Amino acid sequence: MSLTGGVLAATAPSGAGGTVVRGLLRAADTAVRAAGGSGDEPPLTIPRDPAREAARRELSKRLYHENEPGLFQRALNAFWDWLGRLLDSAASATPGGTIGLVVVVLFVVAVLAALWWRLGTPRRQPTSSSAAALFDDRPRSAAEHRAAAEAHAAQGHWNQAVQERMRAIVRSLEERTLLDVRPGRTADEAAAEAGRSLPAHTDRLRAAAREFDDVTYGGRRATEQSYHRIAELDRDLERARPALTHSTTSTAPTAHQGAAE
């Protein structure tokens, strides 16, 4: 081995960097020999092309690539380098440097947490044109809906209890022909139509429909009190008598007057 390859290779650092250095020295030694040197004395000059070619062949060996990081590690290192530069830039642009940046980040996190706690998880609110139907595909009687509501209430499932009791109200009005049987009717539509026949209960019908929509589509949780309000409305509607229509009330005095004459 030449003096260059022997002495400097012996003093090269260990590890992957040292391996590459030793490879370069071996390539240089090979180039020296290829250039006609004896190996005992280094030549004064080494041609550029033979040296480059020898270095390329030497460093292409698998030995010098065993300790290199893989593709994932290189990508991870590049990401952390980019994140570090980004944070350094943000810290330099923020009053107070790194401490100021930490304060700003904590403030933003606190604001987001407060909004999340106040508003809850965002949910799509139903519209009048896209509200789902009140009933499912399988028709059931008012008594069946009441029985299902009581079963849910006994287990403390207030959401399902409210839904079934509202369905019992609407089905009962349909069975009494106070509402026409119409598939696809919503709770709001049923309350508005029933209020024309039972005006004394209009406000309670609308409140029950809102409770049904909030539970079914708005993501809110029903309570025991809300269920009992709807159940009481159901019982009151069973005893309620429909109001006479405007045409009936307007023609009744005329008929009575004609009979008197």
Side-chain angles (χ1 to χ4, degrees):
M1 179 179 294
S2 68
L3 179 60
T4 302
V7 176
L8 294 181
T11 60
S14 60
T19 303
V20 173
V21 171
R22 287 192 293 272
L24 288 173
L25 293 176
R26 291 193 188 98
D29 186 58
T30 303
V32 169
R33 294 176 181 176
S38 63
D40 296 332
E41 294 180 0
L44 296 178
T45 59
I46 301 176
R48 179 181 300 176
D49 292 339
R52 183 170 56 246
E53 183 63 23
R56 186 189 64 79
R57 287 196 303 269
E58 181 67 27
L59 295 180
S60 64
K61 296 179 180 179
R62 182 180 180 85
L63 172 66
Y64 305 111
H65 303 281
E66 291 179 348
N67 297 324
E68 291 184 356
L71 179 61
F72 175 76
Q73 185 63 39
R74 291 198 299 271
L76 189 60
N77 292 340
F79 169 76
W80 287 120
D81 291 340
W82 170 82
L83 184 60
R85 291 193 300 271
L86 180 64
L87 293 178
D88 291 340
S89 300
S92 61
T94 305
T98 303
I99 297 178
L101 178 62
V102 172
V103 172
V104 171
V105 171
L106 291 178
F107 176 76
V108 172
V109 171
V111 170
L112 293 176
L115 290 175
W116 189 279
W117 177 81
R118 179 65 179 84
L119 301 178
T121 303
R123 293 182 175 89
R124 183 179 63 86
Q125 297 296 331
T127 60
S128 58
S129 60
S130 62
L134 182 65
F135 296 100
D136 53 18
D137 295 334
R138 187 178 71 85
R140 289 183 291 174
S141 66
E144 289 177 313
H145 284 295
R146 290 190 185 100
E150 291 296 332
H152 287 303
Q155 299 177 11
H157 300 162
W158 303 116
N159 282 16
Q160 294 87 340
V162 165
Q163 291 169 332
E164 289 298 328
R165 200 70 188 214
M166 184 63 192
R167 290 173 180 137
I169 289 175
V170 177
R171 185 67 76 199
S172 176
L173 295 175
E174 290 177 349
E175 291 173 353
R176 296 171 59 188
T177 68
L178 297 180
L179 289 177
D180 60 311
V181 179
R182 179 159 52 87
R185 176 188 281 118
T186 65
D188 290 332
E189 292 171 346
E193 295 172 14
R196 290 192 284 269
S197 299
L198 301 166
H201 303 281
T202 299
D203 293 339
R204 296 172 66 191
L205 282 166
R206 290 176 178 172
R210 284 195 300 270
E211 189 76 35
F212 178 89
D213 288 341
D214 289 342
V215 168
T216 306
Y217 315 116
R220 297 186 181 179
R221 297 185 62 83
T223 63
E224 181 178 0
Q225 291 76 16
S226 61
Y227 171 72
H228 286 310
R229 284 195 299 268
I230 295 179
E232 182 179 1
L233 173 62
D234 184 22
R235 290 188 290 269
D236 292 343
L237 291 176
E238 285 190 278
R239 298 188 297 268
R241 299 297 180 186
L244 295 177
T245 61
H246 179 71
S247 59
T248 303
T249 56
S250 60
T251 57
T254 305
H256 179 72
Q257 183 179 0
E261 292 176 351

